[in-house]
Structures are given as structure tokens and as C-alpha cells.
Amino acid sequence: MSKTFRLLALSACAGLLFACAKKEEAPKPVELTTDAQKFGYSIGVDLGNSLKPVAAHVDVASLKQGLDDVSSGATLKLDDAAREAVKATVSKTMQEEQVKQREEAAAKALAEGEKFLAENATKEGVKTTASGLQYKVLTEGSGTSPTAADEVTVHYKGTLINGEEFDSSIARGQPVTFPLGNVIEGWTEGVQLMKPGAKYQFFIPSKLGYGERGAGVKIGPNQTLIFEVELIEVKKAEAPKK
């Protein structure tokens, strides 16, 4: 980062934090006509966004003082070792908070999923396998069911139990082809119950889905998943050569 950019960033951040510290005062309108004004505003937005994840752990007045001391050349109130030590301490605290929040979310999702599946199991047309997988036949197909070694082509839509959609080949307008043994257990077991042309609804407990790890941003830990799956084609695995 160049010296000029650092000074601009410090000035923008100082102004941003000073405004945040005095929320009771109406912000002064700024002109955004020159490149310098637009550049300064852009840096301020970036810095403001970067502060959001740590806002609860930052004293705004002290942060502004640090920026002012650096930009003015004043003697720093904490040396390098002290600054690194407190950053490590707060970072550890934040990590512990994140772990706790994830554990709480996982416990809540597991309880909600178990309640949902218990109620869902009593609904008409819903069947439960020995593993705990639940499914409902929407349309039956014909032909030969796939094995875990086969490759299948499907259309699907996935939602959480609150109805939030997290993935859909239907929305993308493109079916998906994959080896059936390479997906989550609920899919591997469930699709083997189907025949080409069939459409099933699967209710997958977290232990047969992504478990405590979750998947991406939308599927949290211990989430129960609902899939509507249409089996379009089965490509049988080649027999091993002797």
C-alpha cells in the first residue's frame, strides 16, 4: 500500500469513526463531484464495512485516537508488543464466541429437525426407512433403479424446513449428472428407491446430510433438508473387466 493511500485511508477512517461516535449530530453533507471526493468516499465505505464484524470489540474513540496519533506523528501509547498481545487476546475471544454461537445454532437446528421429522412421519404418504430417511412418492417411474455405483441425471430443488430454498437445478434450467455414491448419504439411499421418470420428495435428517459441518453459507450445522428429486436417467456402471 502506498504512503498516499495509507494517509487517505486513515483520514477517511478517522472521519467515519468520528461521525459514528457522535451519532446525535447530523452528518455533514459531502460533495461527490471530483475523483478525489469519490475516492475518499469509497475508501470510507470499505473501511466501514470492514469494521462491522468486530464492532462489538472496538472502542471507537480509542480507534480514532490511534489513527490520529499515527497521522500526526505523535508518540504511540502502546508499543508493538502490547498492540500484538491485545490483538491476539481479542482475536481469541472472538473465535470462542463464534464457536459458542455455532454450537448453539447446531443444537437448535438439531432439535427443530427432530421435531419436524417426528411430525412429518405421521403425514399421509410419508415413509421412513431404517436409517431415518423419510420420503414421499410424488410420481412413480419405470425401469431399473440405480445402484450406488451408477451415474444418475436428475433435476432437483433443495430447501430448509423453514421453506428457504438453497439450491435448485430447476431454477438453473440444467439437470445435473453425478455418480450416486459421491453425494450425501440421504441422496445415495433415497435415489436408489427411484426408477427413471419418478419424482420423490426426501426429508433428510442431518446425520444423513451435512451433519455438524453444514455446507456453505445457506446450510448451517445439523440442518434437516428437504429435496424434490426427479430421476431423469440412469447410466449403469460398467462391469469390471476380468
Side-chain angles (χ1 to χ4, degrees), residues 25-38:
E25 296 181 7
K28 291 182 66 175
V30 295
E31 295 289 336
L32 296 177
T33 53
T34 68
D35 285 346
Q37 291 167 335
K38 294 175 183 178

Side-chain angles (χ1 to χ4, degrees), residues 12-222:
C13 193
L16 172 67
L17 295 170
F18 186 73
C20 292
K22 297 188 175 183
K23 293 182 179 178
E24 68 278 4
E25 296 181 7
K28 291 182 66 175
V30 295
E31 295 289 336
L32 296 177
T33 53
T34 68
D35 285 346
Q37 291 167 335
K38 294 175 183 178
F39 185 47
Y41 181 79
S42 299
I43 294 171
V45 170
D46 291 343
L47 290 170
N49 285 328
S50 71
L51 287 173
K52 288 180 180 179
V54 298
H57 297 273
V58 175
D59 179 80
V60 174
S62 298
L63 199 156
K64 179 181 180 297
Q65 183 64 59
L67 291 170
D68 289 343
D69 286 351
V70 170
S71 60
S72 66
T75 300
L76 301 183
K77 296 173 177 59
L78 294 174
D79 61 20
D80 291 352
R83 296 198 309 276
E84 290 304 315
V86 73
K87 284 190 288 185
T89 298
V90 174
S91 177
K92 181 180 178 182
T93 299
M94 292 174 62
Q95 289 173 355
E96 291 171 348
E97 289 177 352
Q98 291 171 354
V99 169
K100 183 180 178 181
Q101 291 169 359
R102 186 172 180 84
E103 289 175 346
E104 291 174 348
K108 180 181 178 182
L110 184 62
E112 291 176 344
E114 289 175 345
K115 179 182 178 182
F116 170 84
L117 291 170
E119 295 174 351
N120 192 60
T122 65
K123 294 182 178 180
E124 183 179 357
V126 175
K127 300 178 182 179
T128 304
T129 70
S131 70
L133 173 70
Q134 294 181 358
Y135 69 97
K136 182 177 182 180
V137 178
L138 304 179
T139 305
E140 272 294 15
S142 60
T144 303
S145 297
T147 68
D150 295 335
E151 190 174 82
V152 297
T153 299
V154 302
H155 253 320
Y156 70 92
K157 178 179 74 173
T159 61
L160 304 177
I161 58 176
N162 63 5
E164 180 184 349
E165 184 177 301
F166 58 82
D167 194 13
S168 174
S169 69
I170 299 170
R172 294 191 295 272
Q174 182 66 45
V176 179
T177 300
F178 53 85
L180 189 52
N182 288 4
V183 289
I184 57 175
E185 292 179 48
W187 265 74
T188 301
E189 178 185 353
V191 177
Q192 290 184 80
L193 302 172
M194 305 174 71
K195 295 178 173 62
K199 182 182 289 186
Y200 281 24
Q201 190 173 31
F202 296 113
F203 309 91
I204 302 178
S206 63
K207 66 180 181 179
L208 302 177
Y210 295 99
E212 293 184 354
R213 71 184 186 277
V217 177
K218 295 185 177 181
I219 302 177
N222 287 342

